[in-house]
Amino acid sequence: MAGPVLEMRSIVKTFPGVKALSDVTLTVRQGEVHAICGENGAGKSTLMKVLSGVHPHGSYEGDVLFEGETCRFKDIRASEQHGIVIIHQELALVPYLSIAENIFLGNEHAKHGLINWNDTLRHATELLRRVGLDEHPETRVADIGVGKQQLVEIAKALSKKVKLLILDEPTAALNDEDSGKLLDLILQLKEQGITSIIISHKLNEIRRVADSVTIIRDGRSIETLDVKAAETTEDRIISGMVGRDLENRFPERTPHQPEEGTAPALEIRNWTVHHPIDQQRKVVDDVSIEVRRGEIVGIAGLMGAGRTELAMSVFGRTYGRHAGGTVLRDGHEIRTKTVPEAVGHGIAYVTEDRKHYGLNLIDTINRNISLTALGKVSKRGVVDEHGERQVAEDYRKSMNIKAPTVFEPVGKLSGGNQQKVVLSKWIFAGPEVLILDEPTRGIDVGAKYEIYTVIDRLAAEGKAVVFISSELPELLGMCDRIYTMAAGRLTGEFSRAEASQEALMRQMTKDKQDQKSRKDEEVSR
């Protein structure tokens, strides 16, 4: 067995009012893929920022040894000079520069201040080939998808002679196909002798690529497990992460039985939306769905199926060019052409992109929560700061938002706690219909269960919930009914009893299967 390439001993990191890391120890062997697991806020990313020099030596206690040498990194450049490269969850690429320019940004092929573009493009092409990307190196980063951008980040790391590659939630924003390609690449890099540390909440991915997994809980390293050992099951890892056994991944739920004769809380009829740029292309094509009070209705579909486009276009026409259709609340037609109109009719939308559209990251928890319903905490246009603080404090406790005070900037919270703030914001608005778009994306199993419990409680209170998710087990565990979409069209509807992963996937890929059948028929002719 190979010896350790990295040792982090008794790491302690403190922020004002919070001890983020407390006596954390981590050992990574040469040439392995080492996973780090823990709940949101457990200290995983903080530990990697210590390792990569984001938190410089002197700002923490403990020792970092790399290749047997004690390291005192003053910044990221110092760690990169040793071959340690970190790829953050939020990609550090400049969208309007080319792939080649991004790969060598800050590390240019230059002499006397002049860039050698021939060398730049040649080396960029070699690196792109190495990561399995066939894009031209002069292509703008803005013109490629997120999956390919992740590969560009890895190519950028390889250009720096990486020895230890750190990937923080690398597949959080990727679909299954792109995630598979990225995980395959990590295994290829392992064969080339590159050691990797991967932070992920997706336990199936960890079991696929990792050799070892270290569990961190509440800022402490709990244990390191051999992933290939028979006793290292997903339940075993989860138990270490949350400090208790999760007997059920989802709250127990009694399927909703709608009252006969009552109109749906939300009904969407013949909804069609055109792409905002390519106006000949329909991104939502004649879709009709309904949701009753107390019901959780799921929408399943692959990337590009039109799920988010449907939700955003209904919620104030925030996506695309609307071409036609009707929205009804409790049997009465309503206008939702603007966000205030949608909110006024009791509709809330929790976006899949909380950092860009769901939160003001530089503002505090209490300001974010009150934002959707300032009228409830103000009088004659003046905000009652005491009342606003009390509302936020109530949600901090009831939603178990882990923060020292409600005056903490939201940008400093972990992903799961940010998601709880988004939910709190919309619950405070008092909606009757909640559209939840990937509400548990990028958060750990413990925080997921807490959010599932909140959603279940809202349904029990008589709210109508639309639940969009890419995780089929999540939809099967939470929903009373599930619609499937493909290529902008509705392809199926399933009751809780009828739904299975196989049945849903069959309908989610129906359009692709139809296209393949048509092509096969044309070939046979």
Side-chain angles (χ1 to χ4, degrees):
M1 183 179 292
V5 66
L6 170 71
E7 294 181 80
M8 301 183 76
R9 300 173 179 171
S10 304
I11 303 296
V12 177
K13 174 63 181 174
T14 303
F15 297 102
V18 179
K19 181 171 277 191
L21 298 173
S22 180
D23 195 30
V24 173
T25 297
L26 174 70
T27 301
V28 179
R29 299 192 307 272
Q30 176 70 48
E32 76 167 335
V33 177
H34 194 108
I36 299 180
C37 282
E39 294 190 273
N40 288 101
K44 309 180 297 294
S45 295
T46 302
L47 183 66
M48 291 301 97
K49 287 177 180 178
V50 167
L51 172 58
S52 60
V54 175
H55 298 316
H57 182 263
S59 68
Y60 61 88
E61 300 174 28
D63 297 311
V64 176
L65 285 80
F66 185 66
E67 295 183 325
E69 176 188 347
T70 300
C71 298
R72 299 178 174 85
F73 301 136
K74 63 178 182 179
D75 52 27
I76 292 178
R77 184 175 289 274
S79 68
E80 289 182 346
Q81 287 172 351
H82 280 71
I84 301 172
V85 181
I86 184 169
I87 298 176
H88 296 280
Q89 187 173 353
E90 285 79 29
L91 301 181
L93 298 174
V94 182
Y96 298 109
L97 293 182
S98 70
I99 292 173
E101 288 169 324
N102 270 280
I103 288 175
F104 296 107
L105 189 62
N107 188 31
E108 290 83 1
H109 287 18
K111 190 174 183 180
H112 305 303
L114 296 176
I115 294 175
N116 185 327
W117 289 108
N118 288 332
D119 278 358
T120 298
L121 295 175
R122 179 167 53 81
H123 287 141
T125 301
E126 292 171 359
L127 290 166
L128 293 178
R129 188 180 301 115
R130 191 173 171 189
V131 300
L133 195 57
D134 59 2
E135 302 292 324
H136 193 282
E138 292 183 298
T139 303
R140 288 192 320 167
V141 162
D143 297 330
I144 62 176
V146 177
K148 292 180 178 180
Q149 289 179 16
Q150 280 281 14
L151 298 180
V152 171
E153 279 278 25
I154 294 177
K156 185 176 179 179
L158 294 176
S159 75
K160 298 172 182 176
K161 312 298 183 191
V162 62
K163 298 177 182 176
L164 174 61
L165 180 63
I166 306 166
L167 301 110
D168 191 353
E169 296 288 355
T171 65
L174 304 186
N175 59 30
D176 290 342
E177 183 179 354
D178 287 339
S179 295
K181 290 179 181 177
L182 183 60
L183 296 174
D184 288 341
L185 177 58
I186 292 171
L187 293 174
Q188 290 171 22
L189 295 176
K190 174 186 173 181
E191 292 175 0
Q192 297 168 20
I194 295 175
T195 307
S196 297
I197 296 176
I198 178 171
I199 299 174
S200 179
H201 294 124
K202 299 181 180 180
L203 301 186
N204 60 324
E205 294 182 354
I206 288 172
R207 291 186 61 80
R208 176 176 168 183
V209 300
D211 301 292
S212 306
V213 55
T214 294
I215 298 170
I216 297 179
R217 184 172 74 237
D218 297 329
R220 297 178 181 273
S221 48
I222 303 301
E223 58 186 341
T224 296
L225 303 171
D226 179 356
V227 173
K228 309 305 178 186
E231 62 270 19
T232 308
T233 62
E234 288 192 11
D235 288 340
R236 174 73 179 80
I237 296 172
I238 290 169
S239 177
M241 288 169 59
V242 302
R244 62 190 187 280
D245 291 328
L246 282 181
E247 294 181 3
N248 297 305
R249 301 282 181 93
F250 307 97
E252 289 189 14
R253 176 166 176 75
T254 302
H256 174 76
Q257 298 295 332
E259 296 180 21
E260 292 186 10
T262 58
L266 175 71
E267 187 175 1
I268 301 168
R269 294 179 181 170
N270 309 116
W271 198 256
T272 300
V273 180
H274 287 239
H275 191 276
I277 299 174
D278 182 3
Q279 296 178 19
Q280 300 302 312
R281 176 183 157 207
K282 293 179 182 179
V283 291
V284 179
D285 190 359
D286 196 32
V287 169
S288 297
I289 67 171
E290 62 178 47
V291 192
R292 298 183 179 274
R293 290 186 177 278
E295 192 177 29
I296 300 176
V297 172
I299 302 181
L302 302 175
M303 293 287 285
R307 300 165 304 163
T308 294
E309 292 82 355
L310 170 65
M312 292 182 69
S313 59
V314 168
F315 187 70
R317 310 284 172 85
T318 48
Y319 179 87
R321 290 180 61 86
H322 180 247
T326 308
V327 180
L328 294 91
R329 268 290 325 277
D330 296 320
H332 302 288
E333 185 175 342
I334 60 172
R335 285 168 52 92
T336 61
K337 287 188 175 182
T338 66
V339 170
E341 280 184 338
V343 174
H345 286 296
I347 300 174
Y349 172 56
V350 176
T351 172
E352 65 174 342
D353 190 347
R354 57 180 172 261
K355 291 183 182 292
H356 285 90
Y357 301 118
L359 296 167
N360 181 347
L361 295 177
I362 63 174
D363 216 336
T364 58
I365 294 171
N366 66 318
R367 291 280 179 83
N368 271 277
I369 289 176
S370 65
L371 198 58
T372 55
L374 281 173
K376 292 185 175 182
V377 291
S378 62
K379 191 173 183 180
R380 296 175 184 173
V382 179
V383 174
D384 176 3
E385 294 185 357
H386 174 74
E388 182 183 52
R389 182 172 65 251
Q390 188 58 54
V391 166
E393 191 62 43
D394 290 344
Y395 278 106
R396 185 173 77 93
K397 293 176 181 176
S398 66
M399 299 288 282
N400 193 25
I401 299 169
K402 295 178 182 177
T405 71
V406 295
F407 301 109
E408 189 77 3
V410 169
K412 290 187 176 181
L413 303 181
S414 66
N417 288 303
Q418 287 180 355
Q419 193 68 6
K420 291 176 186 177
V421 174
V422 176
L423 281 169
S424 300
K425 176 180 82 169
W426 284 114
I427 294 170
F428 178 56
E432 296 302 317
V433 177
L434 285 97
I435 304 173
L436 309 176
D437 195 353
E438 302 284 7
T440 65
R441 171 174 285 172
I443 62 178
D444 63 80
V445 288
K448 279 185 178 182
Y449 189 87
E450 292 179 339
I451 288 174
Y452 295 150
T453 303
V454 171
I455 295 169
D456 205 45
R457 185 178 74 234
L458 292 169
E461 293 171 358
K463 311 295 185 185
V465 179
V466 178
F467 196 119
I468 299 170
S469 177
S470 298
E471 298 185 27
L472 296 185
E474 185 171 68
L475 293 174
L476 294 169
M478 287 296 297
C479 298
D480 300 303
R481 285 186 299 116
I482 302 173
Y483 290 103
T484 55
M485 291 184 67
R489 300 185 185 90
L490 208 64
T491 57
E493 178 184 354
F494 297 84
S495 68
R496 188 182 183 93
E498 296 169 336
S500 67
Q501 290 199 49
E502 294 78 9
L504 294 177
M505 187 58 73
R506 195 176 300 118
Q507 296 300 317
M508 289 160 57
T509 58
K510 193 171 184 179
D511 189 75
K512 289 183 178 180
Q513 291 169 353
D514 291 346
Q515 289 178 10
K516 184 178 185 300
S517 297
R518 287 195 294 270
K519 287 182 180 177
D520 290 343
E521 287 178 9
E522 291 173 3
V523 170
S524 63
R525 288 172 190 165

